[in-house]
Amino acid sequence: MLQLNFHPAGRHQLSIPGPSPVPDRILRAMSMPTIDHRGPEFATLGFKVLADLKKIFKTEHPVIIYPASGTGAWEAALCNVLSPGDQVLMYETGQFATLWKKMADRLGVKTEFIGLPGLEGWRRGVQADLIEARLKADTGHAIKAVCVVHNETSTGVTSNIAAVRAAIDAAGHPALLMVDTISGLASADYRHDEWGVDVTVSGSQKGLMLPPGISFNAVSPKAIEVSKHARLPKAFWAWDEMLEFNKTGYFPYTPSTNMLYGLHEALDMILGEGLDNVFARHQRLARACRAAVNAWGLEIQCADPAVYSPVLTGVMMPDGVDADAVRKIIYDRFDASLGTGLGKVKSKMFRIGHLGECNDVSLMGTICAVEMGLAMAGVSLKGSGVVAAMAELQKQAATTRAPTRN
Ligand code: PLP
């Protein structure tokens, strides 16, 4: 039986694509005493996190914070702008796009799921031309929203959101653009306003380096306008009361105060490092991880180098190798967790997370654990991924600024 009080020496190597490791600085901030969420002190915290979050989403407009996991923010996004029977165009990039669609079906909207056939759609980003063609055919403008996932956590594939916006515009279609960047935010470049996104959904436990538990809706003025007439039932998720209370730094119901302390600390860390530096660090780590996978002679799940995820790398197993059996060896023997394959790719691949509180040396720890685990599982490797990843990191270290603490 699992012993919850058993702690092996050293830190557990949490290398799943979220929840990502929570820095000690954030854990310490979260241990501050809980304060009165209607008292004077609270508004200072509320105002500060609501303002700084906008910089992360790159928006001038409101960002709503829910005490919920990302799934709650998915529901909030849909039920605030849609009415029963509305048509929604959703794009299949992987398991999370599939789950968002399932939720929309349960909420009583008419979903249409488009994408490339078979597993192809799970290996490439959103094909904006498919969206453009579908919207052009919708001459009566029955489709009320287009929903896409920016960083598909189940596969390690990103999508070009600016291209989706351009496709909607080229079709001259008024549908709202709704984007899930639950695992992309604060790790992969994201621009809510510039890309003309109407609702962005995100969560705390990935690039923001917080534990799971809070999630977000960034909302455009058009989305707010549409929400005034949307008729799907909502109460807890309703934007109107949230937006009203947030104007004064408060929330309509009890917020998760200590998570907000953590968020405050996380925003300070990310903005202190500089968003562009954060993105460059993720790209560097992702390149090193891919160098390892290539050196092992294994296939990367993402088949289009233009949309490799900076957040995670999906590693496909050769025929006959159960990816979960490899993960189990790595977990049991080296105290390292990798992401399991989800949905259509269950047991065919595992996922290496390289996001948030991750640096060159922590990534190397993970790659060492994976290389040892693959060898122990009897997977024949072409060469050493450890050596290849080190070479890649050293090459980049020669040309990029060293991380600095001052
Ligand atoms: N969307 C994406 C892209 C995700 O990665 C996840 C979780 O991993 C979710 C949605 C669901 O979020 P949660 O598990 O926090 O409810």
Side-chain angles (χ1 to χ4, degrees), residues 89 112 114 127-139 143 166-168 170-171 173:
L89 186 64
E112 184 177 337
I114 60 168
Q127 309 293 301
D129 55 333
L130 295 182
I131 292 181
E132 184 177 331
R134 181 62 191 91
L135 292 180
K136 276 187 173 152
D138 179 36
T139 48
I143 294 170
I168 298 173
H173 201 288

Side-chain angles (χ1 to χ4, degrees), residues 132-279:
E132 184 177 331
R134 181 62 191 91
L135 292 180
K136 276 187 173 152
D138 179 36
T139 48
H141 296 169
I143 294 170
K144 299 300 173 203
V146 174
C147 298
V148 293
V149 175
H150 173 226
N151 185 72
E152 224 339 317
T153 328
S154 61
T155 59
V157 180
T158 55
S159 281
N160 183 341
I161 303 303
V164 177
R165 173 79 263 164
I168 298 173
D169 293 347
H173 201 288
L176 294 172
L177 172 56
M178 304 177 65
V179 179
D180 166 344
T181 191
I182 286 181
S183 61
L185 191 78
S187 297
D189 186 16
Y190 191 80
R191 310 174 193 188
H192 177 89
D193 286 1
E194 189 186 318
W195 293 344
V197 182
D198 291 297
V199 187
T200 298
V201 181
S202 196
S204 56
Q205 73 272 28
K206 316 268 186 181
L208 288 176
M209 306 176 290
L210 292 165
I214 53 174
S215 54
F216 315 98
N217 277 181
V219 294
S220 73
K222 180 175 167 188
I224 294 174
E225 203 40 51
V226 169
S227 74
K228 292 178 184 158
H229 312 285
R231 286 178 289 102
L232 277 182
K234 61 199 151 290
F236 181 79
W237 305 119
W239 288 344
D240 53 359
E241 285 197 352
M242 270 287 199
L243 292 172
E244 209 41 48
F245 273 75
N246 284 175
K247 283 182 191 157
T248 59
Y250 293 94
F251 291 78
Y253 40 79
T254 314
S256 23
T257 312
N258 291 55
M259 284 291 283
L260 298 184
Y261 285 145
L263 176 61
H264 178 263
E265 200 68 17
L267 294 170
D268 200 47
M269 290 172 75
I270 292 166
L271 296 172
E273 183 176 351
L275 263 183
D276 288 343
N277 295 331
V278 171
F279 298 151

Side-chain angles (χ1 to χ4, degrees), residues 70-83:
T71 303
W74 262 351
E75 178 161 345
L78 296 171
C79 70
N80 273 285
V81 295
L82 297 171
S83 297

Side-chain angles (χ1 to χ4, degrees), residues 122 153-156 299-302 312-317 321-324 327 339-342 344-352:
W122 284 47
T153 328
S154 61
T155 59
E299 209 173 338
I300 293 170
Q301 163 80 17
C302 178
L312 74 143
T313 301
V315 184
M316 294 170 82
M317 289 295 99
V321 177
D322 178 348
D324 288 330
R327 284 178 54 249
T340 185
L342 296 169
K344 286 181 184 174
V345 289
K346 172 111 200 87
S347 79
K348 293 189 174 70
M349 55 101 78
F350 58 74
R351 298 168 296 147
I352 302 176

